[in-house]
Amino acid sequence: MQAPQPPLYEASSPIATDLSVSSDGALLAYTYRAWCNAVATGVYDTARLCVVPVATGQERCVDGIDADDSDFVPGRAQLVFAANFSGQRELWRADVQPDGALTNLTQLTRGPAGQPSTAPQVSTDGTWVI
């Protein structure tokens, strides 16, 4: 009996963008926007926002919100990001749990139709989002 052949193209690899690290270095956030494998590359229909506690390496992702441009609030377990929860891209803040899960989502902007909000950055003292 002959051993089974390994699959030629076993899995695709997601490509992470929009990386941010919490001020204490315990959390990493990024967006999966595209993928590649040995024969092709592609783009996801909607980007996935993921948070990973560095100590465990266990990824927690939010699918279907087309999120990007995350930034951690210094000195707090909070993340701001742009996402399309409400019909157009707006800025949101969420508490980050120790396992990387996002809770207590709060919408920070409500722009006029056709004027999305993008690329949030948190001030160094954590009191302003621009």
Side-chain angles (χ1 to χ4, degrees), residues 29-71:
Y30 48 86
T31 302
Y32 283 142
R33 187 166 308 289
W35 56 269
C36 67
N37 62 27
V39 296
T41 60
V43 177
Y44 292 117
D45 289 338
T46 57
R48 301 174 69 203
L49 176 63
C50 300
V51 178
V52 175
V54 174
T56 66
Q58 295 297 311
E59 176 180 82
R60 295 289 300 254
C61 296
V62 181
D63 293 319
I65 61 170
D66 196 19
D68 60 12
D69 299 320
S70 63
D71 193 24

Side-chain angles (χ1 to χ4, degrees), residues 74-101:
R76 299 185 208 150
Q78 290 184 328
L79 185 69
V80 296
F81 54 94
N84 189 7
F85 281 118
S86 61
Q88 90 173 0
R89 190 172 305 283
E90 299 288 353
L91 302 185
W92 293 79
R93 182 185 64 227
D95 294 334
V96 182
Q97 300 306 308
D99 67 353

